[in-house]
Amino acid sequence: MGGLAEIVKKEASWYASGGFNLKSFLLTDERQQIYAVNVIDYPKRKRPAGVVVLARIVGDTVIIEEDRTDRPLVERLIAAGIPREKIICAYAGDAYPDIQSV
C-alpha cells in the first residue's frame, strides 16, 4: 500500500524540525517501512541522541512504537485519512494485532 507509506513518511517528517540547540533527522527504511525522527543536542552534545517518533507499517496497519511529543503522531495520521482502527499505539499500551511479522 504505497499511499499508506507516503502518508506515514510525510507525517513523521513533520517532526524533523530543528530547535534551539537541537538538530533532528528523519530516518527511513523504505524496504521495512520504518519511519523515525531522531534528535541530538547541537552544536554541543550534552545528552544521548533520542527518538522523537518511530512508526512502522505491517500490512495495512501502522504501528507507532514511540511518540515523545505533545502533538501525537496518531492525531496527524488520523487527520491525514488513516482510520484509527488501522493504527496501533504500542508506546501507549495498545495491543498488537494478530498479524504476521509484528
Side-chain angles (χ1 to χ4, degrees):
M1 206 171 161
L4 182 61
E6 288 304 313
I7 292 170
V8 174
K9 182 178 180 178
K10 177 181 181 259
E11 297 308 325
S13 72
W14 183 82
Y15 296 93
S17 59
F20 184 69
N21 293 327
L22 295 174
K23 225 175 212 251
S24 59
F25 303 92
L26 175 66
L27 308 172
T28 64
D29 181 331
E30 300 292 345
R31 187 179 63 75
Q32 295 187 67
Q33 294 187 306
I34 300 171
Y35 308 94
V37 173
N38 203 22
V39 66
I40 61 170
D41 293 330
Y42 184 83
K44 190 170 185 168
R45 296 287 305 271
K46 296 178 184 175
R47 297 169 292 202
V51 174
V52 177
V53 295
L54 189 152
R56 60 193 179 101
I57 300 170
V58 178
D60 64 350
T61 301
V62 179
I63 301 173
I64 303 173
E65 298 288 358
E66 189 65 72
D67 188 333
R68 296 180 169 257
T69 71
D70 59 353
R71 296 182 181 158
L73 177 58
V74 65
E75 292 176 6
R76 294 189 62 84
L77 295 176
I78 291 168
I82 299 173
R84 177 61 178 96
E85 57 271 10
K86 293 293 184 182
I87 303 170
I88 307 295
C89 295
Y91 69 93
D94 286 0
Y96 284 99
D98 185 23
I99 54 179
Q100 298 295 330
S101 303
V102 174

